[in-house]
Amino acid sequence: QVQLQESGPGLVKPSETLSLTCVVSGSSISAYYWSWIRQPPGKGLEWIGYIYHTGTTSYSPSLKSRVSISMDTSKSQFSLDLISVTAADTAVYYCASHEVPGDTFDYWGQGALVTVSS
Amino acid sequence: SYEVTQPLSVSVALGQTAKITCVADKIATKSVHWYQQKPGQAPVLVIYRDTNRPSGVPDRFSGSNSGNTATLTISGAQAGDEADYSCQVWDTITVVVFGGGTKLTVL
């Protein structure tokens, strides 16, 4: 059973960088694709991007200019950096896995609330 | 960019049938997945590839996809089915799109 756990600051100042890490357990990090998905309070889910252990990444066109996803296979974790944040980036951030592009998100972390505020 | 539209809310009487739609251009050409999300929890897959149920999901959940509309049907809705439901597609093999989510209320 794959388990995912997000961690990172719960409060980020406007214009700064939001950074989160997702630790993977119960599976090799090489076995799946790994995505970040967010959900602003009271709103719908928004996919941010994914990474594969080969280093392949794909990002949402609407966030591509501000997002970077990286992976540390030795620590079985992957990370999200979102630069130049505003209040609109306040959301619960989830990490999730899928076996291949085109497939479902089978495993999710519990989510981490990040608030952007001064 | 590909956009998927869901109704904000759907209400259903206890024991009746609820239908939640996702509308998008030629959505029938894509595989649609459906997630259930209860307050404070991560989404859970209830239908994959238009019509398939993961193990453990009750058979009162079913899906269809035709033309510009994909539909999640909940037959004999129960109080425990009250939740937000979101559809998800891959616009290409590299871009994921979620519908805006529908709040299901069981009366």
Side-chain angles (χ1 to χ4, degrees):
Chain A
Q1 179 82 351
V2 178
Q3 293 186 316
L4 305 169
Q5 180 65 60
E6 306 91 346
S7 64
L11 181 64
V12 180
K13 289 182 167 56
S15 80
E16 295 190 345
T17 297
L18 181 159
S19 295
L20 292 171
T21 295
C22 181
V23 176
V24 178
S25 59
S27 170
S28 166
I29 199 167
S30 301
Y32 292 90
Y33 287 73
W34 307 97
S35 274
W36 286 100
I37 296 162
R38 70 180 183 178
Q39 185 171 37
K43 296 187 178 181
L45 298 164
E46 179 182 22
W47 176 75
I48 299 170
Y50 71 63
I51 189 166
Y52 193 50
H53 72 93
T54 56
T56 297
T57 56
S58 179
Y59 300 123
S60 166
S62 64
L63 295 170
K64 188 173 185 176
S65 63
R66 298 194 293 128
V67 172
S68 178
I69 299 176
S70 59
M71 179 181 284
D72 186 337
T73 55
S74 68
K75 294 182 178 179
S76 198
Q77 64 185 40
F78 61 104
S79 299
L80 168 70
D81 286 320
L82 180 65
I83 67 171
S84 305
V85 296
T86 69
D89 295 309
T90 293
V92 174
Y93 286 75
Y94 294 100
C95 53
S97 69
H98 47 105
E99 290 192 7
V100 294
D103 210 348
T104 58
F105 295 103
D106 296 317
Y107 300 102
W108 297 68
Q110 65 185 24
L113 174 63
V114 180
T115 302
V116 178
S117 174
S118 56
Chain B
S1 63
Y2 194 73
E3 293 188 2
V4 179
T5 301
Q6 294 185 236
L8 282 176
S9 62
V10 168
S11 296
V12 62
L14 184 68
Q16 297 304 300
T17 297
K19 290 183 181 293
I20 298 172
T21 57
C22 274
V23 176
D25 185 49
K26 299 182 179 68
I27 198 172
T29 63
K30 304 181 185 298
S31 284
V32 179
H33 314 301
W34 291 92
Y35 300 85
Q36 176 193 70
Q37 187 179 22
K38 296 185 177 179
Q41 298 182 17
V44 174
L45 184 69
V46 292
I47 293 289
Y48 66 97
R49 294 181 212 140
D50 299 337
T51 61
N52 299 280
R53 270 190 321 276
S55 60
V57 173
D59 61 5
R60 63 177 181 276
F61 288 85
S62 62
S64 63
N65 189 6
S66 178
N68 293 329
T69 304
T71 303
L72 172 69
T73 301
I74 306 171
S75 304
Q78 301 183 4
D81 298 332
E82 193 163 281
D84 292 330
Y85 292 86
S86 298
C87 60
Q88 175 242 315
V89 301
W90 287 74
D91 181 15
T92 66
I93 62 167
T94 57
V95 176
V96 177
V97 179
F98 285 97
T102 298
K103 180 177 177 59
L104 176 69
T105 300
V106 180
L107 304 172

